[in-house]
Amino acid sequence: MSSRTFQHFSGSCCKIHFENLDQFVAEKGRLSTGNLIYALERFVLGHRTGERFDIVLTWDLFNYLPLDAVAALLRRLQQFCKPGTLVHSVNYLSARIPEAPRRFSICDEGQLDLEEAPLGPRRLPRHSAAELLKALEHYSILHTYCERPGMQPGVSEQVFRYEPDSRASTVVAEARGDGGETSMQYHSPMFGRLLARLRDSIGVKLLDLGGEGHRALWLREGAELEVVDLYTAVEQGARSGSESPEAAIRRLLGSCVGERKFDVVIAWDLLNHLSPVAQQVFAHWLAPLCRESTQLLALDGGIAFCPRCLQLTGGGVVKVELSPGSVPLECGAPPQLPGFCGQRIVASPSAAAQQLGELLFQLGELPAVTRCA
């Protein structure tokens, strides 16, 4: 409950209901996951039924609940939602966060007051967009906001939409292929040029950071290949809390440092899953593996994607598997890699419609934007 928030909404002729979930999480958030979910469901069921809300504000509660408890909470909240209900969440991006859920007060349109709170180490790993979407049945992510003008550093916001029918998002529904699969295809200028280069050149040294999925293609095209599954290491470390992204980057890229330098590095969607600090660590450890002409290829926009959702064909066509767990999102600030200059390639109208772009980085200067018909 916040009196300022109540005053803000009371002036807009809407009905508002408060629940003390922040106090509940502060008191019971350290229970085992099973006991926490049991207590959480009992708490939510104490609310009178029959009401349906248009907007649910969860503020920063998800940062203090394990992923299974977040999923259980939103499943239980479905009884209070209608098709199209929006769920808003605030996410902390750094390793030190407020020790307990904070009190947020809405001052006016676009202005929040955040209660001061002591910081402590993050107890639970940060839930990535991909993990949330996989866990949240009947919800899709409508917007993600990060590092926009006026936003507090280290904080992002997400807006989920409740869609109880089988079409988890309009993006998925519009992307259905003839075979009934939810996918889209687009021609990639960036990967098309890479494949042409591999065919025309001998001994191109390629480092794939997304695992083994495209090994056969790279070898068939004649690349001198090394595979480092940095994406999975970052993903699993974040889920279990066993290893920070920075530690995984140092461990895996550090093992590659030596006299060998690569001509091409493929990061797939990895950069969109790294915090600004982790992006700096990534640039630091990648630079010794690069020449001035080395190209770093990455995807921008679909931050719920992972290499397993992407299939590159020999003709430079990228097939993207779209599902309720891999909905393209609105991204925040572009990746920042100290020492690297980048350009964003607009791949094609079909890719742009799904908020998908391609990033090309290099040690040296590049033009800011390249548009390809």
Side-chain angles (χ1 to χ4, degrees):
M1 173 65 180
S2 165
S3 59
R4 295 181 71 179
T5 298
F6 177 77
Q7 292 170 6
H8 173 78
F9 283 119
S10 63
S12 58
C13 300
C14 68
K15 184 176 182 179
I16 182 169
H17 179 89
F18 291 94
E19 288 284 352
N20 266 343
L21 264 172
D22 55 346
Q23 182 178 344
F24 170 88
V25 172
E27 294 176 353
K28 301 185 181 294
R30 293 183 178 273
L31 292 174
S32 65
T33 300
N35 288 332
L36 175 60
I37 291 174
Y38 175 78
L40 188 63
E41 290 187 338
R42 284 179 60 87
F43 180 91
V44 175
L45 285 173
H47 176 72
R48 60 185 181 277
T49 59
E51 296 185 54
R52 297 291 184 269
F53 296 96
D54 300 290
I55 299 173
V56 178
L57 303 177
T58 69
W59 299 114
D60 61 351
L61 294 179
F62 291 178
N63 296 273
Y64 303 92
L65 295 173
L67 186 62
D68 289 345
V70 173
L73 171 62
L74 287 183
R75 280 197 302 270
R76 188 58 69 186
L77 286 177
Q78 288 177 13
Q79 64 183 306
F80 309 122
C81 296
K82 60 182 71 171
T85 291
L86 303 180
V87 180
H88 173 263
S89 172
V90 174
N91 308 303
Y92 299 123
L93 305 179
S94 59
R96 293 181 62 80
I97 67 174
E99 294 178 348
R102 282 205 282 195
R103 183 64 54 85
F104 293 79
S105 297
I106 300 178
C107 304
D108 53 39
E109 199 72 28
Q111 188 74 26
L112 289 176
D113 267 355
L114 279 66
E115 179 185 55
E116 291 294 330
L119 301 181
R122 180 186 289 275
R123 186 173 60 85
L124 297 167
R126 182 164 62 92
H127 308 314
S128 69
E131 291 171 330
L132 285 170
L133 285 171
K134 290 175 183 176
L136 306 183
E137 187 179 5
H138 302 310
Y139 291 88
S140 65
I141 293 184
L142 185 62
H143 294 294
T144 296
Y145 302 100
C146 180
E147 297 185 6
R148 298 291 182 88
M151 288 188 68
Q152 179 172 321
V155 173
S156 70
E157 298 179 60
Q158 288 180 320
V159 179
F160 299 84
R161 180 164 55 194
Y162 175 59
E163 296 173 328
D165 61 11
S166 59
R167 295 171 297 174
S169 76
T170 56
V171 171
V172 173
E174 294 169 357
R176 291 188 180 277
D178 294 337
E181 297 179 351
T182 55
S183 64
M184 64 164 286
Q185 294 185 3
Y186 74 96
H187 186 272
S188 165
M190 187 171 68
F191 284 110
R193 292 171 194 163
L194 171 60
L195 292 169
R197 178 182 177 186
L198 293 176
R199 296 187 192 106
D200 296 340
S201 306
I202 298 175
V204 175
K205 297 178 176 60
L206 187 148
L207 173 62
D208 189 336
L209 300 178
E212 299 285 342
H214 291 87
R215 175 182 287 273
L217 173 63
W218 302 136
L219 294 178
R220 186 170 66 247
E221 298 295 342
E224 292 186 14
L225 179 66
E226 183 161 340
V227 173
V228 174
D229 198 353
L230 182 55
Y231 184 97
T232 298
V234 169
E235 183 185 40
Q236 291 179 349
R239 183 183 295 116
S240 64
S242 60
E243 185 178 43
S244 68
E246 295 83 354
I249 291 167
R250 287 193 294 269
R251 175 172 59 84
L252 292 175
L253 291 187
S255 66
C256 297
V257 172
E259 296 182 358
R260 188 176 190 187
K261 293 184 181 291
F262 296 93
D263 301 300
V264 179
V265 179
I266 301 178
W268 300 105
D269 191 41
L270 173 68
L271 300 181
N272 292 311
H273 295 262
L274 300 180
S275 68
V277 172
Q279 290 173 11
Q280 294 179 22
V281 174
F282 176 79
H284 173 79
W285 286 95
L286 183 65
L289 307 177
C290 300
R291 304 184 178 92
E292 288 187 2
S293 60
T294 297
Q295 294 184 333
L296 168 63
L297 312 185
L299 298 176
D300 178 39
I303 66 172
F305 294 148
C306 66
R308 291 181 294 277
C309 301
L310 302 160
Q311 181 181 356
L312 175 63
T313 70
V317 173
V318 177
K319 182 179 180 182
V320 183
E321 295 294 337
L322 297 174
S323 71
S326 58
V327 178
L329 309 177
E330 179 181 339
C331 286
Q336 299 296 316
L337 304 180
F340 289 80
C341 295
Q343 60 179 336
R344 192 174 194 273
I345 300 172
V346 180
S348 68
S350 61
Q354 309 299 337
Q355 304 175 28
L356 287 171
E358 299 180 341
L359 298 171
L360 175 63
F361 291 90
Q362 191 171 316
L363 289 172
E365 295 185 359
L366 284 172
V369 177
T370 297
R371 292 191 175 274
C372 301

